[in-house]
Amino acid sequence: VSKKLGMTPDYDLSPGVIRKVIHAAVNGSSFRQAEEDLLALGELSISSQRIRRVAKQIGQERVADRQQEIERWQQLPLPTQRTSPIDTVPAVACVQPDGGRMQIRDRCDPQGGVPPSASKPRKGRFWRETKVGCLLSMSSQEYTNDPCPRIPRTFVDPARIDEIAREIKGFWGEALEEDDTEDEESLRVETESQRPERPQPLLKSVVATRRDAEAFGLQLAAAAYQRGFAAAPRKAFVADGQASNWTIWARHFSHYTPVLDFVHAICYVFSAAMAGGDTPANWKRYCRWAQWLWEGNTSQIIDELVEQQAIVGLPSDDEAEGTPRQRMAETLGYLRNQKARTKYAEYRRRGLPLTSCYIESTIKQVNRRVKGTEKFWSSAAEEILQLTADQISETDHMRAFWKARPSKLSGMRQYQTAI
């Protein structure tokens, strides 16, 4: 009977109540908040611990479904992986990966993971990376010529570009606190809003995990296949310069156009151009380099950087961060490594996105649930990440899950291992 009703022997909650519990568990700031929301809005008296257990169980079921999708995708021959399993194929398919943060405390380790040799607790020792991916179907127009040949005014406004450089990952060496709310999303949205020809997002799906980059890459690839992205006529993989992002691109998305997030790129250019002080000559140099970057003429910036480096010299092995030599060397290495992904004029002609504003927005949504100086996860971290990604997604994953769930229940009790 419980199987037919979509219930397990472990819980006496109806399917409708379970769905409400999951909604509250994901959208509230905590399980305690979910308890209060269910009582106030649904007149349901369910303890926070019970909500956590239900969320973990449903999350485990979703993680299992996800793994099955990945395994089915892996079993497909490569030619089939490059096709679409659905009839509707987007005009533009965009994949954007990035990382977030959450605090993990292992209940089995009273020291919270601190090595026995550590003389004192390491600051920030509980923070661990989460990996989040945003998959967008988009619409855009293609052009014969560059529809926006001049760089947006945001990037040639002295006060604004200085603010951007400070906020994007603490570019001036001002490390951001773990619980700071970064404004990267608004900065990228502002950039995109100044481009009337920018691609328009249509439908977003999200993946999230605490697992390693290899597992995350498989998760992204399987999700993109389910969306029919491989068959899209125009495809873009947009990310910052983190090496793991481009390893995922090379392994699973090499048939996508690689796009380096323009905001990160311009911050490196600004850092090198203004090395040595805020002078009219340095600002003039920056404006020249910024326009070249916008055009995709990265080689010209590299050539001038090489000339400047010949004058100031190479940084020493123990060079402090932020010196002119260090900034120039860092930017030069960055642009050389990323040069092939900075063809921004070509991307605009093809109607492709230039910035990672969508993944930044998505990470903020995920972080609202899992990140905070007062939040420590000892269990259910992977499950709540999965459910949060499901909630943010605009596709029908959860609707299909709830519909199919009764037929998957075994009728067997689930037991937890005592700790």
Side-chain angles (χ1 to χ4, degrees), residues 21 33 65 73 152 162 190 202 206 232 244-245 288 318 335 339 377 380:
V21 168
Q33 183 64 52
D65 287 349
W73 175 80
D162 184 71
E190 179 179 346
L202 299 176
V206 179
S244 60
N245 289 332
R288 181 172 66 252
D318 57 349
L335 293 181
K339 178 182 174 183
W377 297 86

Side-chain angles (χ1 to χ4, degrees), residues 284-390:
K284 183 178 180 180
R285 176 172 64 184
Y286 163 71
C287 290
R288 181 172 66 252
W289 288 0
Q291 180 60 40
W292 286 347
L293 182 66
W294 184 253
E295 296 168 356
N297 294 325
T298 313
S299 295
Q300 292 181 264
I301 305 174
I302 292 173
D303 290 343
E304 287 204 3
L305 266 171
V306 170
E307 294 176 5
Q308 291 295 321
Q309 192 177 63
I311 296 172
V312 302
L314 296 171
S316 60
D317 293 338
D318 57 349
E319 188 92 14
E321 290 189 10
T323 66
R325 292 186 300 186
Q326 187 272 337
R327 287 186 183 176
M328 288 186 178
E330 183 180 42
T331 300
L332 186 56
Y334 184 85
L335 293 181
R336 281 172 168 166
N337 291 335
Q338 303 295 334
K339 178 182 174 183
R341 303 163 189 146
T342 61
K343 303 173 183 178
Y344 297 115
E346 175 188 328
Y347 305 151
R348 289 190 294 275
R349 288 195 300 270
R350 296 176 58 193
L352 301 178
L354 304 185
T355 75
S356 57
C357 62
Y358 303 105
I359 185 60
E360 297 295 340
S361 172
T362 300
I363 286 177
K364 275 191 173 183
Q365 292 177 285
V366 174
N367 283 350
R368 287 191 189 106
R369 181 59 187 93
V370 303
K371 182 182 177 183
T373 55
E374 78 291 352
K375 291 182 180 179
F376 292 86
W377 297 86
S378 59
S379 64
E382 185 71 15
E383 291 81 5
I384 204 70
L385 280 171
Q386 177 63 46
L387 292 175
T388 302
D390 288 334

Side-chain angles (χ1 to χ4, degrees), residues 20 46 63 70 149-150 160-161 193 267 272 290 323 357 395 401 417:
K20 289 181 173 64
I46 305 174
V63 170
I70 292 172
R150 298 299 302 174
R160 194 70 181 106
I161 186 59
S193 67
C267 285
T323 66
C357 62
T395 48
F401 167 77
T417 304

Side-chain angles (χ1 to χ4, degrees), residues 73-366:
W73 175 80
Q74 288 180 294
Q75 292 171 2
L76 296 174
L78 181 59
T80 304
Q81 290 180 354
R82 298 292 174 87
T83 62
S84 174
I86 59 177
D87 295 332
T88 304
V89 175
V92 179
C94 179
V95 174
Q96 299 190 0
D98 206 349
R101 305 281 276 176
M102 68 190 304
Q103 293 193 99
I104 302 295
R105 179 185 292 167
D106 189 347
R107 290 190 301 175
C108 296
D109 183 354
Q111 298 299 319
V114 179
S117 60
S119 59
K120 61 181 179 179
R122 177 172 58 85
K123 181 180 179 181
R125 66 187 183 277
F126 298 113
W127 289 104
R128 301 292 182 269
E129 184 183 32
T130 60
K131 298 173 181 64
V132 183
C134 183
L135 301 98
L136 291 139
S137 59
M138 312 181 84
S139 65
S140 69
Q141 182 178 343
E142 293 187 85
Y143 299 86
T144 303
N145 300 312
D146 186 352
C148 185
R150 298 299 302 174
I151 189 169
R153 61 184 181 277
T154 295
F155 297 113
V156 287
D157 179 294
R160 194 70 181 106
I161 186 59
D162 184 71
E163 179 185 1
I164 292 172
R166 291 180 186 279
E167 293 192 11
I168 301 299
K169 307 298 186 186
F171 238 81
W172 293 124
E174 300 167 359
L176 295 170
E177 294 295 329
E178 295 290 358
D179 60 339
D180 279 354
T181 300
E182 300 168 15
D183 200 27
E184 298 186 29
E185 173 198 358
S186 62
L187 297 172
R188 288 170 172 80
V189 168
E190 179 179 346
T191 307
E192 294 290 273
S193 67
Q194 296 185 39
R195 296 175 51 216
E197 83 293 344
R198 67 190 183 281
Q200 297 297 317
L202 299 176
L203 192 66
K204 177 177 79 171
S205 57
V206 179
V207 299
T209 186
R210 277 199 63 234
R211 296 176 181 174
D212 59 25
E214 182 177 354
F216 177 54
L218 291 171
Q219 188 177 343
L220 264 181
Y225 171 76
Q226 293 296 326
R227 294 285 307 277
F229 278 18
R234 288 173 287 155
K235 299 178 285 291
F237 185 94
V238 186
D240 61 26
Q242 189 173 355
S244 60
N245 289 332
W246 298 109
T247 298
I248 291 172
W249 170 80
R251 289 180 179 176
H252 304 295
F253 297 95
S254 58
H255 53 303
Y256 286 54
T257 300
V259 180
L260 177 68
D261 172 53
F262 182 80
V263 177
H264 269 88
I266 197 71
C267 285
Y268 275 94
V269 169
F270 179 66
S271 175
M274 302 303 290
D278 184 6
T279 67
N282 285 350
W283 178 252
K284 183 178 180 180
R285 176 172 64 184
Y286 163 71
C287 290
R288 181 172 66 252
W289 288 0
Q291 180 60 40
W292 286 347
L293 182 66
W294 184 253
E295 296 168 356
N297 294 325
T298 313
S299 295
Q300 292 181 264
I301 305 174
I302 292 173
D303 290 343
E304 287 204 3
L305 266 171
V306 170
E307 294 176 5
Q308 291 295 321
Q309 192 177 63
I311 296 172
V312 302
L314 296 171
S316 60
D317 293 338
D318 57 349
E319 188 92 14
E321 290 189 10
T323 66
R325 292 186 300 186
Q326 187 272 337
R327 287 186 183 176
M328 288 186 178
E330 183 180 42
T331 300
L332 186 56
Y334 184 85
L335 293 181
R336 281 172 168 166
N337 291 335
Q338 303 295 334
K339 178 182 174 183
R341 303 163 189 146
T342 61
K343 303 173 183 178
Y344 297 115
E346 175 188 328
Y347 305 151
R348 289 190 294 275
R349 288 195 300 270
R350 296 176 58 193
L352 301 178
L354 304 185
T355 75
S356 57
C357 62
Y358 303 105
I359 185 60
E360 297 295 340
S361 172
T362 300
I363 286 177
K364 275 191 173 183
Q365 292 177 285
V366 174

Side-chain angles (χ1 to χ4, degrees), residues 9-71:
D10 301 270
Y11 297 106
D12 57 358
L13 303 179
S14 70
V17 171
I18 291 177
R19 293 179 70 165
K20 289 181 173 64
V21 168
I22 296 303
H23 182 87
V26 173
N27 286 278
S29 59
S30 65
F31 294 125
R32 178 68 65 183
Q33 183 64 52
E35 177 184 345
E36 296 175 5
D37 291 345
L38 287 169
L39 182 60
L41 301 177
E43 298 182 349
L44 296 169
S45 181
I46 305 174
S47 71
S48 61
Q49 287 300 314
R50 194 177 187 192
I51 293 170
R52 182 190 64 80
R53 290 194 298 270
V54 173
K56 185 172 183 178
Q57 177 188 337
I58 300 299
Q60 287 174 341
E61 292 177 24
R62 284 293 297 126
V63 170
D65 287 349
R66 180 185 79 192
Q67 186 59 37
Q68 288 179 0
E69 290 179 0
I70 292 172
E71 291 172 358

